[in-house]
């Protein structure tokens, strides 16, 4: 039942990916068209960012679909980590785009005869900020509901795009005040924000793929085990993640006077408490007598 529920959550997560893909196709086409016709460096950079976000969202969608595959001979723990790999792929794509935007923007700052872009570029940026803000709101709520790292990464990207559009608007309207250099400067800030978002997503994904776990969670798991009736002490406690599923391996010490059946009951109790209180996917408990 737990596996079925988690698979259903992954299917719900596909909605976020589809929504992001449709939103990015629409916004990239609009921003690139207006950016070129209005001669706005910042809006073109924003549109290019949205265009590559399409590829990143496709990577997230593929990762969510692969993560739903059941256990097989080569994947005894399932395919859950495909979701985390998808987040990392998305971060690579975003970083490449951010660096490209930075290079082009910095180069354009030093170009002579800069002219302020048409105001329609600014209005397009305002619309883009509001539109992507709405997409972020939906995807962020969904990521919390289903506890999905890939959807959370997609939501961060959506928020980054909304903030990027705000920076674009500032640069475009500022360039109207006899400061045309503000438009390419806004493009530089766009590139920096894209790179920052990419780094944050990469850091979270690489932490999980190297079996990193939050120290606060480990303290919570320790407290739950120690408070379980019959547990004398904890010898070892290890935890790792597969996608958004936590797997725990622990060795507990119990009274040496207990028979095998009672000791097994305590191990079962530890397992059920961790699953009930922390939504742990799988727990392996090894029992040893207290010295």
């Amino acid at each position: 039942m737990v596996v079925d529920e988690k698979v259903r959550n992954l299917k719900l997560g596909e909605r976020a990916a589809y929504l992001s893909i449709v939103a990015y196709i629409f916004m990239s086409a609009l921003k690139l068209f207006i950016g070129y016709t209005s001669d706005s460096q910042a809006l073109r950079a924003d549109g290019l960012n949205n265009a590559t976000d399409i590829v990143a969202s496709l990577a997230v969608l593929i990762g969510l679909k692969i993560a739903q595959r059941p256990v097989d001979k080569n994947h005894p723990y399932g395919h859950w980590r495909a979701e985390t790999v998808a987040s990392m792929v998305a971060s690579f794509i975003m970083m490449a785009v951010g660096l490209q935007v930075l290079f082009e923007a910095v180069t354009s700052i030093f170009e002579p005869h800069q002219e302020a872009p048409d105001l329609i570029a600014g209005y397009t940026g305002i619309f883009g900020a509001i539109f992507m803000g709405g997409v972020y709101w939906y995807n962020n709520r969904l990521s919390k509901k289903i506890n999905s790292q890939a959807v959370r990464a997609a939501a961060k990207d959506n928020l980054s795009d909304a903030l990027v559009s705000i920076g674009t608007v500032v640069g475009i309207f500022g360039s109207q005040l006899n400061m045309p250099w503000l438009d390419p400067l806004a493009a530089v800030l766009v590139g920096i924000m894209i790179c920052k978002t990419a780094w944050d997503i990469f850091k979270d994904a690489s932490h999980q793929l190297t079996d990193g776990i939050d120290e606060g969670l480990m303290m919570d798991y320790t407290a739950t085990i120690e408070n379980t009736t019959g547990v004398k002490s904890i010898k070892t406690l290890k935890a790792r993640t597969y996608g958004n599923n936590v797997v725990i391996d622990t060795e507990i010490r119990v009274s040496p006077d207990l028979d095998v059946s009672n000791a097994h009951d305590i191990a079962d109790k530890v397992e059920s408490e961790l699953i009930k209180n922390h939504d742990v996917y799988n727990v392996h408990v090894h029992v040893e007598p207290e010295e």
Side-chain angles (χ1 to χ4, degrees):
M1 293 296 292
V2 174
V3 175
D4 290 341
E5 182 180 353
K6 291 184 178 294
V7 171
R8 283 196 298 270
N9 285 342
L10 290 175
K11 289 186 178 296
L12 286 174
E14 292 181 14
R15 295 182 184 177
Y18 282 120
L19 175 61
S20 293
I21 291 170
V22 172
Y24 287 138
I25 290 174
F26 170 66
M27 291 309 305
S28 63
L30 178 64
K31 290 176 182 177
L32 288 172
F33 175 76
I34 300 297
Y36 279 105
T37 56
S38 64
D39 194 27
S40 171
Q41 177 76 18
L43 192 62
R44 288 200 299 270
D46 196 359
L48 181 61
N49 173 39
N50 290 157
T52 51
D53 285 334
I54 298 171
V55 181
S57 296
L58 282 171
V60 169
L61 178 61
I62 293 171
L64 289 170
K65 287 186 174 296
I66 294 176
Q68 297 173 38
R69 293 180 179 176
V71 171
D72 58 30
K73 293 181 180 179
N74 296 325
H75 300 83
Y77 288 98
H79 297 75
W80 304 106
R81 277 188 172 169
E83 186 182 1
T84 311
V85 173
S87 298
M88 180 167 283
V89 171
S91 73
F92 290 152
I93 297 170
M94 292 173 63
M95 182 62 75
V97 174
L99 293 174
Q100 180 182 352
V101 169
L102 272 175
F103 176 77
E104 293 181 356
V106 170
T107 303
S108 66
I109 287 178
F110 300 101
E111 291 179 355
H113 309 300
Q114 294 178 355
E115 294 183 1
D118 194 281
L119 276 177
I120 191 174
Y123 297 134
T124 303
I126 292 174
F127 172 74
I130 296 172
F131 185 85
M132 293 311 302
V135 176
Y136 160 74
W137 177 83
Y138 176 84
N139 285 345
N140 188 53
R141 284 191 61 189
L142 183 60
S143 72
K144 292 179 179 178
K145 178 181 178 181
I146 66 176
N147 188 30
S148 169
Q149 184 188 19
V151 176
R152 194 156 45 245
K156 284 183 179 180
D157 191 21
N158 301 148
L159 178 60
S160 173
D161 292 325
L163 295 175
V164 162
S165 293
I166 293 174
T168 300
V169 170
V170 172
I172 292 172
F173 281 105
S175 67
Q176 301 293 320
L177 305 175
N178 295 320
M179 292 183 290
W181 49 268
L182 271 179
D183 183 63
L185 179 60
V188 171
L189 297 178
V190 167
I192 293 174
M193 293 177 69
I194 295 171
C195 291
K196 173 64 167 56
T197 303
W199 171 252
D200 290 341
I201 294 174
F202 170 80
K203 186 170 63 174
D204 291 342
S206 60
H207 181 69
Q208 288 202 16
L209 288 174
T210 54
D211 283 344
I213 195 76
D214 183 80
E215 291 182 6
L217 288 177
M218 292 298 290
M219 293 175 64
D220 292 340
Y221 300 152
T222 299
T224 297
I225 297 172
E226 290 178 340
N227 292 329
T228 302
T229 303
V231 175
K232 296 295 184 181
S233 62
I234 300 174
K235 182 179 180 181
T236 62
L237 174 61
K238 300 175 183 177
R240 58 193 183 279
T241 56
Y242 289 90
N244 293 295
N245 305 310
V246 177
V247 176
I248 293 178
D249 295 291
T250 183
E251 293 180 73
I252 61 172
R253 292 191 176 99
V254 300
S255 172
D257 299 327
L258 294 177
D259 57 28
V260 174
S261 178
N262 288 331
H264 182 266
D265 289 341
I266 295 174
D268 284 345
K269 193 178 299 181
V270 168
E271 179 180 349
S272 63
E273 287 296 314
L274 287 169
I275 293 174
K276 180 179 69 175
N277 296 326
H278 306 289
D279 194 28
V280 173
Y281 176 68
N282 185 267
V283 183
H284 177 262
V285 184
H286 178 70
V287 179
E288 290 191 359
E290 176 80 326
E291 296 178 0

